[in-house]
Amino acid sequence: MIHQVPFVLNLTISEYRRLVNLKPWNRKWNNPDVLDIKAKIKTQLTYNQECCAHCGLPFKGSKGKQIEHIAPNANYRQPQFTFTLHNLVLSCGYCNDLIVKGTKPTIELPEHRFYSRCNFLIVHPYFDDPDDYYDWTDNNDRILIQIKNNEEKAKYSIEMFGLDSEEMSGWRAAFSLLNIQNDLKPISSDDEELVQQTLEYKK
Ligand SMILES: [Zn+2]
């Protein structure tokens, strides 16, 4: 249902150098000097990921797919991780835009200066295997998420991304029914319509 994301981002040494050598006030992805690197990263992530890193649902069209900073550079700010490649993943608009994502930290504060040694509060898309944290129950027209081994990270992620919401449980079941989740093709508009019809039929 939710899968660990394989890490595939790969920059050249000169690209790394360009990022590292940016002045602190220029360390932003909208800096024109690094837009080519940003585009390269987006291509690599898009090629690698067909489903949202947090909720596991397939992206719905191009608008539903966003590059996300796992440790955000807004609100609970970890701007030092803006260019950390393990901090960049694709998530759906719902998980990335959710108000709670900006109001609660994803890293235990104060954070370690090295990203990989931070204590993450959520199930990390690259470092953690969701199979260690979640169980699934098929409840007719809903696939319900359950916490494995009373894992705190699972509780935190479920609350943060609303993984136990009616809507998400329904979508999960609908996509599973259509066997889209394991199919690496992008969702066609026909598939989306079918999912919508399935959901409406079940109401
Ligand atoms: Zn999502």
Side-chain angles (χ1 to χ4, degrees):
M1 290 289 131
I2 302 176
H3 301 289
Q4 188 169 9
V5 181
F7 182 75
V8 294
L9 288 179
N10 189 13
L11 298 181
T12 63
I13 295 197
S14 74
E15 286 166 340
Y16 271 117
R17 253 193 217 124
R18 278 165 58 203
L19 292 176
V20 169
N21 290 336
L22 286 175
K23 303 292 181 200
W25 55 89
N26 273 336
R27 292 180 60 79
K28 293 173 185 149
W29 277 116
N30 59 6
N31 176 347
D33 293 343
V34 298
L35 285 182
D36 60 319
I37 304 178
K38 182 183 179 183
K40 180 175 176 176
I41 284 175
K42 188 163 190 184
T43 303
Q44 290 180 350
L45 287 176
T46 302
Y47 188 75
N48 183 38
Q49 248 188 282
E50 293 295 335
C51 298
C52 172
H54 300 297
C55 68
L57 291 174
F59 298 118
K60 292 192 294 152
S62 55
K63 281 182 196 165
K65 192 185 300 180
Q66 304 179 356
I67 297 185
E68 185 214 353
H69 287 92
I70 296 163
N73 52 4
N75 294 322
Y76 281 90
R77 292 164 212 279
Q78 276 99 20
Q80 70 273 36
F81 300 139
T82 297
F83 295 134
T84 303
L85 298 186
H86 277 93
N87 196 37
L88 302 173
V89 78
L90 288 184
S91 63
C92 70
Y94 179 79
C95 288
N96 197 24
D97 282 355
L98 214 62
I99 294 168
V100 78
K101 172 90 196 328
T103 57
K104 290 174 81 177
T106 51
I107 291 181
E108 193 174 279
L109 303 173
E111 68 274 22
H112 196 281
R113 62 182 287 238
F114 297 117
Y115 184 78
S116 62
R117 294 174 70 178
C118 289
N119 188 11
F120 288 91
L121 298 166
I122 60 167
V123 177
H124 193 286
Y126 294 121
F127 299 155
D128 296 318
D129 184 350
D131 286 345
D132 295 334
Y133 295 89
Y134 305 128
D135 263 331
W136 308 95
T137 307
D138 201 337
N139 187 10
N140 295 323
D141 57 349
R142 299 276 181 272
I143 292 182
L144 306 176
I145 193 167
Q146 284 167 333
I147 296 160
K148 231 180 199 178
N149 304 322
N150 211 24
E151 287 281 358
E152 287 300 322
K153 274 188 183 183
K155 290 181 203 168
Y156 200 89
S157 283
I158 288 172
E159 192 188 334
M160 177 168 271
F161 300 110
L163 302 178
D164 58 350
S165 70
E166 274 289 301
E167 190 186 18
M168 220 173 252
S169 308
W171 274 96
R172 212 176 275 135
F175 279 114
S176 177
L177 189 70
L178 292 166
N179 204 17
I180 289 171
Q181 193 126 12
N182 294 325
D183 186 341
L184 292 181
K185 281 184 306 192
I187 299 175
S188 69
S189 53
D190 286 351
D191 288 337
E192 273 198 66
E193 201 179 318
L194 200 54
V195 168
Q196 202 52 46
Q197 284 170 4
T198 310
L199 283 174
E200 278 168 17
Y201 173 74
K202 282 174 179 165
K203 274 178 196 164

